[in-house]
Amino acid sequence: DADFGPLNAVRDSATERLRTITTELRLDSNWTDQISTLVGVFYSRETLEANLLRTIVIAGNAQITQFDRRVGNTYAAFGTLFWKPNADWEVAAGLRYDHESRKASGTVNGVALPGASLKSDQVQPKLTVTRHWDSRLMSYASVARGYRGGGFNAPNAPFRTYKGDSAWTYELGSKYATRGLSLSGAVFYNDYKDYIGLNSIAPAVPAGLVTVDLNSGDVESYGFELEAAIKPTPQWTITGSATYMHSRFTDSSAYTSVTGRTLPSDRLTFQPDVMFSLSSDYIVPIGEDSLTFSAGIVGKGKRLGGTLNQTTPTFLKGYTLVNGSIGYQHGPFELAVFANNLFNKEYFESYIEKTTLQLAGLPASDLGIIGDRRRYGIRASFRY
């Protein structure tokens, strides 16, 4: 159902064949008590062939055929030097080089379209400094550059390629652990260039519309992460985590230059500022067996829905779900009853605002995928 709407408007029938071959060789060496290295090489080859038959029901069952073939080769060499000047300090300095070469070809209604290609050469450094204050407490600081390769849109898209994006990441963190308490936290800042994270509706070749991926602009993201685990008693464990991530577009001119449209918000689609979880597990011994009572909550904050509206953003409300289970364990066997979303909370997991369908020339309506409602059942497991 390619139009996602209540009407039987557009139908797709497709097959895809993807083959991936990867090879990696690593050499791990200890030169002295203070110095060790890890070096390696990597190669991968991907081949994709896809056939699509699209039937436009509302246009008298007109049909469009499409063939898409893509081949990608990736070569990489990497190495990390680990230096421990003493028992308290450790420095890890790494470098990775990637070379990507990708080609794409295709046809629409049997007519061959111009081929497309992508090539990139990327250097990705990383530096981490770790301080062990004692056997319970450590801290670290790291800086690294990451890269994600570009790709291809469908053969009938107005532009076939989009380039890769990259990010500089900076992080400071600390971990503390004893027998009954574990705490960890980190603050971070990420600087993305040519971010691949949005798609848009574009005119197709020779006619119609198609969804495309594109480079949307520059993004910065900063925040903190906290995790904790506490054992008030040997049988009782409480764990929790919280993340605050402020991710925003700092420059979306790349999106505008390609689409001729502006974004309704500087927020990233479906990315909440806040996520959290809290759970409790209590084990009751029954001879050599045990009974485990578990309960927990998980939650997400407000998120931007999928929309191409230029003036009015659509936000999804935050939600909190309650889960629980009771499990009986006998040796390697466990039998449990569980309930997820215990209070049957209604929430949207994803959402597409009607402007997207309007631009596609389809009947306009907001579309959403509802998250799982209350679900309960029995599960059995065996560990060996």
Side-chain angles (χ1 to χ4, degrees):
D1 184 10
D3 59 274
F4 303 107
L7 298 179
N8 186 23
V10 182
R11 290 283 173 174
D12 281 355
S13 176
T15 60
E16 289 188 359
R17 182 176 184 270
L18 172 65
R19 184 178 184 181
T20 303
I21 300 174
T22 63
T23 303
E24 184 169 292
L25 175 66
R26 295 189 177 203
L27 180 62
D28 194 350
S29 306
N30 292 314
W31 301 97
T32 68
D33 291 340
Q34 289 79 36
I35 297 177
S36 62
T37 57
L38 174 65
V39 297
V41 291
F42 171 84
Y43 169 74
S44 75
R45 179 179 176 85
E46 300 175 11
T47 303
L48 171 69
E49 293 185 348
N51 289 278
L52 170 67
L53 172 62
R54 172 163 292 175
T55 302
I56 314 298
V57 180
I58 58 177
N61 289 321
Q63 292 188 331
I64 299 173
T65 61
Q66 182 175 290
F67 173 71
D68 190 2
R69 175 176 169 81
R70 307 177 190 183
V71 178
N73 293 287
T74 301
Y75 307 84
F78 54 88
T80 303
L81 172 68
F82 301 92
W83 175 43
K84 296 187 68 173
N86 53 53
D88 298 333
W89 290 90
E90 181 177 359
V91 179
L95 192 66
R96 180 184 177 98
Y97 167 77
D98 279 273
H99 171 77
E100 284 190 321
S101 177
R102 300 181 179 273
K103 294 182 179 181
S105 58
T107 64
V108 176
N109 289 339
V111 178
L113 299 176
S117 62
L118 283 170
K119 286 187 178 181
S120 66
D121 295 276
Q122 297 290 326
V123 176
Q124 300 160 79
K126 182 177 182 178
L127 177 65
T128 303
V129 179
T130 304
R131 173 71 155 96
H132 296 274
W133 304 97
D134 54 37
S135 60
R136 298 168 297 178
L137 178 63
M138 61 85 73
S139 301
Y140 66 91
S142 69
V143 57
R145 181 181 185 269
Y147 176 76
R148 177 172 54 169
F152 301 102
N153 288 308
N156 62 337
F159 54 94
R160 190 72 153 107
T161 65
Y162 54 90
K163 60 184 178 181
D165 59 4
S166 62
W168 278 99
T169 65
Y170 308 86
E171 185 171 333
L172 290 171
S174 191
K175 297 179 181 180
Y176 176 82
T178 64
R179 177 173 296 183
L181 175 64
S182 175
L183 296 172
S184 63
V187 294
F188 58 85
Y189 173 80
N190 304 321
D191 185 14
Y192 297 86
K193 300 297 182 184
D194 302 315
Y195 178 72
I196 308 167
L198 294 176
N199 55 32
S200 187
I201 298 293
V205 177
L209 293 155
V210 63
T211 300
V212 294
D213 292 318
L214 47 82
N215 300 100
S216 304
D218 298 338
V219 173
E220 71 172 11
S221 173
Y222 59 82
F224 63 84
E225 298 175 320
L226 297 174
E227 293 184 356
I230 305 171
K231 291 182 71 69
T233 69
Q235 293 80 31
W236 188 16
T237 303
I238 301 172
T239 59
S241 66
T243 300
Y244 173 75
M245 181 183 295
H246 183 277
S247 298
R248 300 291 190 271
F249 278 101
T250 57
D251 181 1
S252 59
S253 58
Y255 176 88
T256 301
S257 66
V258 173
T259 66
R261 303 177 64 83
T262 59
L263 297 174
S265 172
D266 61 354
R267 296 186 60 157
L268 303 187
T269 306
F270 302 126
Q271 176 62 54
D273 284 351
V274 177
M275 294 182 291
F276 59 89
S277 67
L278 180 65
S279 63
S280 173
D281 298 281
Y282 192 85
I283 301 175
V284 179
I286 305 176
E288 295 183 355
D289 301 337
S290 63
L291 196 62
T292 302
F293 296 87
S294 301
I297 60 173
V298 294
K300 289 183 178 181
K302 183 176 70 172
R303 295 150 294 142
L304 177 69
T307 177
L308 297 180
N309 191 306
Q310 298 185 89
T311 59
T312 307
T314 299
F315 287 100
L316 308 183
K317 294 180 179 179
Y319 62 86
T320 300
L321 307 180
V322 179
N323 307 314
S325 67
I326 301 174
Y328 178 78
Q329 185 168 351
H330 173 75
F333 297 94
E334 183 180 13
L335 186 68
V337 294
F338 68 90
N340 296 332
N341 192 2
L342 188 61
F343 295 108
N344 209 25
K345 176 73 173 180
E346 287 189 8
Y347 65 99
F348 281 103
E349 193 61 59
S350 64
Y351 195 88
I352 302 175
E353 189 265 342
K354 64 183 179 182
T355 303
T356 303
L357 297 183
Q358 287 176 334
L359 291 175
L362 298 171
S365 63
D366 296 333
L367 304 176
I369 297 177
I370 300 293
D372 287 343
R373 301 297 295 274
R374 180 167 50 227
R375 178 174 295 187
Y376 51 89
I378 301 173
R379 63 171 179 257
S381 61
F382 172 74
R383 297 181 181 180
Y384 59 94

